[in-house]
Amino acid sequence: MSMCVVGSINADLTVNVERHPTPGETLLGSGGGITAGGKGANQAVAAAKLGTPVVMVGATGNDANADPATAILREAGVDMRHVEEVEDVTGLAVITVAANGENTVLVVPGANALVGAEFVDRHADAVETAELVLLQGEIPADGFARAVELARGRVVVNLAPVVDVPRKSLLAADPLMANEHEAGLILEQLGLDGAGTPEELARRLLDAGFASVVLTLGSAGALVATAEELTHIDSPKVEAVDTVGAGDSFAGAFCHRILEGDSMADAAAFASRVGAFSVTRPGAQPSYPSVGDELPEL
């Protein structure tokens, strides 16, 4: 069963530091290499490496970063026929990784800013024929909304970063996937209280009209919420090396298992193991497991 990701493609510039700098401070770091990234591309690669047929709808620039940004997408077998090269720079993420594995990310949208409604319309067949359409927050709101309108299959939304998108389009998510911070911002976007425990946030999102919600809680696992029940999902205990892209690996793995017929709770349990695998290796896409890799146990 096929999956279409309408989203961002970035080149990741990663710098390793002992700790994150304070405002006005200069620190020496290491690294500086370009690797493949972008939330859309990351999630596409995560699913494709696990065996799901994935079509990518997105854009790269006509600069030197386009090839490294798409290299792992191609290696993973993602269908790239709906990725356009445009007259702009390829999206760029500048990532700082501290010794404890925590990261900060600055994103320059570049070509991703052109993936609007007209762009998505040019690739309508890829969206309409997919069994599942996965969206994030790194493309324009009108492109996001148009992809939802065109989708005939299941729509999964990981609204990261949290941007202002049409309420109707957002509520089409089944599930809405977010971390605790993002869940609070989404609730505030809907005019609701964004404070509370994960359980309170999840219930409030359900009350707002979402069919289902998956909250990722980092090393604490995840929370799957439906009208019937809240299910806590544990995460394997691992030593984190780099948390960049861990949430994206969870999203891609979750969709992979949903398309294989898993319940949401089972899909989230599998995705939690994939996320734990990814943080034990540096980088985003290079850290994702392939079919046959041994995942950490819960």
Side-chain angles (χ1 to χ4, degrees):
M1 298 178 74
S2 66
M3 171 175 159
C4 177
V5 177
V6 183
S8 57
I9 300 171
N10 287 340
D12 285 356
L13 170 61
T14 303
V15 178
N16 299 299
V17 292
E18 183 63 27
R19 60 175 176 80
H20 293 296
T22 59
E25 182 181 20
T26 299
L27 294 178
L28 293 178
S30 61
I34 295 288
T35 57
K39 296 194 73 63
N42 288 352
Q43 294 175 14
V45 166
K49 290 181 76 171
L50 293 168
T52 292
V54 180
V55 178
M56 184 80 209
V57 175
T60 62
N62 55 358
D63 57 353
N65 285 338
D67 283 344
T70 56
I72 300 180
L73 282 164
R74 299 179 192 282
E75 289 173 11
V78 173
D79 185 338
M80 300 289 284
R81 290 175 296 172
H82 298 277
V83 174
E84 293 187 23
E85 181 181 294
V86 300
E87 293 293 325
D88 205 329
V89 297
T90 300
L92 177 68
V94 181
I95 302 166
T96 304
V97 182
N100 64 0
E102 291 299 322
N103 67 83
T104 61
V105 185
L106 292 174
V107 176
V108 178
N112 299 313
L114 301 179
V115 186
E118 291 185 7
F119 184 104
V120 174
D121 272 333
R122 291 199 296 273
H123 305 281
D125 57 324
V127 181
E128 291 171 339
T129 57
E131 297 292 334
L132 184 152
V133 177
L134 176 59
L135 296 157
Q136 311 79 30
E138 289 186 335
I139 61 171
D142 64 330
F144 178 103
R146 185 58 180 147
V148 173
E149 289 174 1
L150 291 170
R152 297 174 181 171
R154 187 169 188 165
V155 174
V156 178
V157 173
N158 174 218
L159 195 65
V162 177
V163 293
D164 191 9
V165 297
R167 184 186 184 105
K168 180 181 178 181
S169 302
L170 183 57
L171 289 174
D174 183 17
L176 170 73
M177 189 178 297
N179 62 30
E180 287 181 79
H181 176 68
E182 292 158 355
L185 292 176
I186 291 167
L187 283 164
E188 290 173 3
Q189 186 181 119
L190 296 173
L192 301 169
D193 182 8
T197 66
E199 294 78 10
E200 290 169 338
L201 297 176
R203 289 192 182 96
R204 214 170 292 145
L205 287 165
L206 292 174
D207 290 343
F210 289 100
S212 59
V213 175
V214 176
L215 297 186
T216 55
L217 308 175
S219 60
L223 178 67
V224 176
T226 65
E228 292 75 32
E229 62 180 343
L230 299 183
T231 305
H232 291 267
I233 306 297
D234 291 330
S235 176
K237 303 306 177 187
V238 297
E239 184 174 344
V241 171
D242 182 356
T243 60
V244 171
D248 295 332
S249 71
F250 182 102
F254 176 89
C255 292
H256 161 71
R257 290 308 311 175
I258 288 293
L259 287 170
E260 291 292 313
D262 278 8
S263 68
M264 287 209 303
D266 287 344
F270 176 83
S272 183
R273 296 172 65 203
V274 169
F277 180 101
S278 76
V279 303
T280 64
R281 291 157 172 76
Q285 294 175 30
S287 73
Y288 297 164
S290 299
V291 175
D293 281 334
E294 185 175 347
L295 301 178
E297 295 294 338
L298 294 171

